[in-house]
Amino acid sequence: METTARAQSAGRIMVALDFASAAEAETLIQELRGIPCYIKVGMQLFYAAGPHFVARLKDEGYNVFLDVKMHDIPNTVKGGSESVTRLGVDMFNIHAAGGIKMMEGALEGVDKALGGGATKRPQVIAVTQLTSTSQMMLNEEIGIAGRVEDAVVRYARLARQAGLQGVVASPLEVSAVKEACGADFITVTPGIRPAGAALGDQSRVMTPAEAFAAGTDYVVIGRPITAAPDPRQALEQILDSLEIR
């Protein structure tokens, strides 16, 4: 791929900084310096390092997906959304299971922050079903009947109705979500494992190339990069495997 195409590909790969401290995350950032990937900050790191670390990433020029999966009463989610919008994140998520009013509350929080001086409107996306959710878990533990794909599409439609920009879903459901909600409805897909990588705690997975071929907009990759002996080489090899059109 040409340099420009490679940079565009890197911008669609969200590297998950699932670390317990800012120091560990900073080490990885230094190793990946110069690769314009998207950065995902999850609950563990955000709770440990706080908003200052997000601001640090933004100062470095990274796009940041704040993966805190808000799920509470509408007014509380509205307040949380206002706070993270003020951080300048590019994307954050909430649980579609909280319902339409809660999702609308998140957008109200974004608008309130923008009216109060925040300068960037983040994309707000909804979690449908976690990629660790198997068919058995969905039916017998969570108590939702039917197929995982049907549950994912139902939540995606609710998110679209509420005005959200997209959803988090496994790569196996991308085509169904796009068919139900439109090609412009963003899909962010965890459960991505390069060829030969261990599955870990994921149940519904694809390789990066397969996920992009299925039509996803962004892939989230954590341990295959962050736990690799050479994280930079691991990310470069993933980029080598892609031919995103």
Side-chain angles (χ1 to χ4, degrees):
M1 288 185 294
E2 295 180 0
T3 302
T4 300
R6 193 177 183 86
Q8 291 173 344
S9 297
R12 296 173 65 186
I13 294 175
M14 296 179 164
V15 177
L17 299 186
D18 295 327
F19 294 111
S21 70
E24 292 175 277
E26 183 62 37
T27 296
L28 182 76
I29 289 295
Q30 293 299 325
E31 292 177 341
L32 300 183
R33 185 171 297 281
I35 302 176
C37 52
Y38 216 115
I39 297 294
K40 184 183 84 73
V41 176
M43 287 184 284
Q44 183 182 27
L45 181 58
F46 189 64
Y47 293 159
H52 295 297
F53 187 77
V54 173
R56 159 97 171 80
L57 291 171
K58 292 305 302 176
D59 288 343
E60 287 283 320
Y62 287 104
N63 286 333
V64 176
F65 168 30
L66 186 59
D67 179 22
V68 289
K69 300 182 178 70
M70 298 183 201
H71 189 177
D72 213 309
I73 63 172
N75 193 59
T76 299
V77 170
K78 175 182 177 180
S81 297
E82 180 184 357
S83 295
V84 300
T85 299
R86 292 184 186 281
L87 286 180
V89 301
D90 300 273
M91 182 185 292
F92 70 91
N93 59 0
I94 60 180
H95 267 284
I100 289 177
K101 287 187 177 180
M102 190 204 78
M103 290 188 276
E104 290 175 340
L107 297 178
E108 291 171 6
V110 170
D111 288 338
K112 186 175 180 182
L114 294 171
T119 59
K120 182 178 184 62
R121 178 178 292 277
Q123 294 175 316
V124 186
I125 63 175
V127 177
T128 53
Q129 289 294 327
L130 300 176
T131 50
S132 58
T133 301
S134 65
Q135 187 72 50
M136 180 280 294
M137 186 186 302
L138 181 78
N139 299 154
E140 299 181 17
E141 297 179 16
I142 301 175
I144 296 177
R147 300 182 306 159
V148 172
E149 180 179 300
D150 296 332
V152 168
V153 170
R154 181 169 63 250
Y155 279 145
R157 286 190 172 120
L158 287 177
R160 180 90 178 183
Q161 183 179 340
L164 270 59
Q165 287 77 49
V167 291
V168 181
S170 98
L172 302 181
E173 290 97 44
V174 166
S175 60
V177 168
K178 295 285 189 178
E179 182 177 354
C181 299
D184 62 334
F185 195 63
I186 296 168
T187 53
V188 174
T189 50
I192 302 299
R193 290 291 184 269
L199 296 183
D201 55 4
Q202 303 287 357
S203 295
R204 309 193 315 281
V205 301
M206 280 187 183
T207 67
E210 289 170 339
F212 283 123
T216 199
D217 299 285
Y218 299 96
V219 298
V220 178
I221 307 176
R223 285 164 287 187
I225 295 173
T226 61
D230 186 336
R232 187 182 189 90
Q233 182 183 48
L235 179 52
E236 294 282 14
Q237 288 175 343
I238 291 170
L239 289 170
D240 289 342
S241 75
L242 298 179
E243 187 177 350
I244 303 172
R245 299 182 187 278

